[in-house]
Amino acid sequence: MSDFRFHVAIIMDGNGRWATRRGLPRVAGHKAGANAVRRTIEAAPGLGISVLTLYAFSEDNWSRPPREVSALMKLLGRYLVQETDRCIANGVRLQAIGRRDRLPAPLAGMLGEAERRTADGRRLLLRLAIDYSSRHAILDAARKASDNFTEDRFSSLIGPDVDLLIRTSGEQRLSDFLLWECAYAEMVFTPRLWPDFNSDDLAQAVAEFQRRERRFGAISATTDLRTA
Ligand code: IPE
Ligand code: IPE
Ligand code: MG
């Protein structure tokens, strides 16, 4: 992978509303959401994205009805089985972030297996956040870093900074996702429900990112310093 990294993170939201609007059970929305995941992964490298982090299941999502939770776990497992070969063929390296110890054992096993089998992928690093809480990730990193607590060491334990954060479904909050890594992320909120999200939506979000000026606390590069 080149040194230039463009990290896009997506809060894939709106599956339930997508289904409810069609008079379908919520799980139908999650199934349709899996197709949007596939489309997004296919489109990402062509848009210059080298790291893609997708929020698939939050720690707080355990509080949903057991039937929905177990359907989501099954869908995740099925997705891994179906997609790992495609990931290998397309140079996609898969990594899971989040806790593994509470996942159904077969799913935890499948994640490890998919990570091993895709480890040589260099076109796209795909990070799937499952049973994920950013606050807990920060606490874990803090515990691990305690012997050498510098910002660099801490950041390396936490993961790459996010350049562009996208959330679908019109909600405008982080819901415990990548709190540290989003310190200077550009945020794009789209009303599109996740199952309807397509490569044009991704391209539009990237174009919006490119129109923004990131200043990281400094002043605009185009400011005339004589008048500043
Ligand atoms: C996102 O869609 C998927 C997960 C959180 C697993 P939701 O299931 O949150 O859909 P809404 O927000 O209820 O529409
Ligand atoms: C965030 O969405 C988690 C995922 C997309 C996996 P939620 O739908 O769970 O978030 P809230 O409850 O609206 O904040
Ligand atoms: Mg939601």
Side-chain angles (χ1 to χ4, degrees), residues 1-150:
M1 203 170 282
S2 72
D3 282 344
F4 170 71
R5 285 215 291 208
F6 178 30
H7 181 190
V8 174
I10 308 184
I11 303 178
M12 311 184 287
D13 201 8
N15 294 354
R17 277 163 282 172
W18 183 94
T20 304
R21 279 178 202 174
R22 285 166 176 73
L24 298 169
R26 292 176 56 84
V27 175
H30 298 314
K31 281 188 188 145
N35 296 326
V37 171
R38 204 170 288 125
R39 289 197 291 272
T40 302
I41 296 167
E42 261 164 30
L47 292 166
I49 298 168
S50 47
V51 184
L52 179 67
T53 306
L54 301 177
Y55 206 3
F57 190 87
S58 76
E59 183 179 295
D60 291 320
N61 289 147
W62 290 114
S63 62
R64 294 188 179 201
R67 251 169 40 143
E68 179 170 347
V69 170
S70 76
L72 276 166
M73 293 297 144
K74 281 204 190 94
L75 267 175
L76 282 165
R78 197 178 309 156
Y79 185 85
L80 287 174
V81 169
Q82 285 171 356
E83 296 302 311
T84 301
D85 284 343
R86 199 196 298 251
C87 285
I88 295 168
N90 291 322
V92 176
R93 174 176 192 175
L94 191 141
Q95 259 175 18
I97 58 170
R99 281 179 67 165
R100 311 236 175 151
D101 56 311
R102 297 187 293 195
L103 300 178
L107 177 59
M110 281 180 231
L111 280 174
E113 169 87 6
E115 286 175 329
R116 270 191 301 281
R117 293 189 55 218
T118 62
D120 291 334
R122 291 291 177 271
R123 249 176 105 229
L124 176 72
L125 173 61
L126 170 65
R127 305 191 320 151
L128 281 184
I130 302 174
D131 194 3
Y132 176 83
S133 154
S134 180
R135 286 186 167 178
H136 283 179
I138 289 168
L139 284 175
D140 278 351
R143 281 189 205 103
K144 283 193 195 130
S146 61
D147 52 331
N148 173 20
F149 211 118
T150 62

